[in-house]
Amino acid sequence: MATGVLARIRTLFDGDPGVRKVADDPVLSAELLLLFRMILADGTVSDSEMDTFRRICREAFGISDESLDGVVEYLNDFGYETSGAQALALFGELDVERRKLLARHMAEIAKADSELAENEVRLLRRTLDILGISPVDVVKPAG
């Protein structure tokens, strides 16, 4: 009980740990921004796309569900200042496996609602071209 109270007090003074994690890591911010743009690419935000986004945040980046609203709010603010091309430029220096992971995450979100819209396909294709990733690499299992 006391630990929970101390954690909440620390969050009040230090800010949400998930938001701090995203704000302190430009590559993570860029990736989450690109994933969120994939959610919006078809013009609707489905529950299945948001569930996939939440799962990716939790499993791949260690961002808790409790932090997600704050992270999305941060991305909304950050997103106005960052274009997709600027976000992708941060990945150019990263190793190929990290770039493939971004592409796989984007594909997961695009497929989450069981319907691939043309705008989603276009965004994914453009992302793969910029990252120098083959579409085959997106469908192959990681590792």
Side-chain angles (χ1 to χ4, degrees):
M1 171 88 175
T3 305
V5 171
L6 291 175
R8 285 197 301 268
I9 290 171
R10 182 169 185 252
T11 298
L12 284 173
F13 288 106
D14 293 341
D16 183 281
V19 175
R20 270 197 331 270
K21 179 178 188 168
V22 173
D24 290 344
D25 185 340
V27 174
L28 178 56
S29 294
E31 177 157 2
L32 295 178
L33 181 62
L34 290 165
L35 295 178
F36 206 75
R37 286 190 175 158
M38 180 58 81
I39 291 170
L40 300 172
D42 63 1
T44 61
V45 177
S46 72
D47 288 341
S48 57
E49 288 171 327
M50 282 305 295
D51 289 345
T52 300
F53 180 75
R54 282 187 192 90
R55 181 186 50 74
I56 290 168
C57 286
R58 190 175 50 251
E59 293 175 4
F61 307 119
I63 298 170
S64 70
D65 289 334
E66 294 79 28
S67 294
L68 196 59
D69 286 341
V71 167
V72 169
E73 185 177 323
Y74 171 80
L75 293 174
N76 190 35
D77 294 340
F78 179 71
Y80 284 115
E81 302 170 9
T82 308
S83 71
Q86 289 169 322
L88 281 168
L90 291 172
F91 285 86
E93 302 295 316
L94 297 180
D95 66 77
V96 70
E97 288 307 314
R98 184 67 179 89
R99 289 182 277 148
K100 287 178 186 178
L101 186 60
L102 166 63
R104 285 187 193 111
H105 286 157
M106 290 181 76
E108 281 182 68
I109 287 176
K111 295 185 298 186
D113 61 2
S114 301
E115 188 176 313
L116 276 177
E118 181 59 34
N119 286 342
E120 291 172 322
V121 172
R122 234 187 333 254
L123 177 58
L124 188 55
R125 186 179 306 129
R126 195 174 111 224
T127 300
L128 293 175
D129 288 345
I130 291 170
L131 295 176
I133 302 294
S134 164
V136 172
D137 291 326
V138 176
V139 295
K140 278 200 246 176

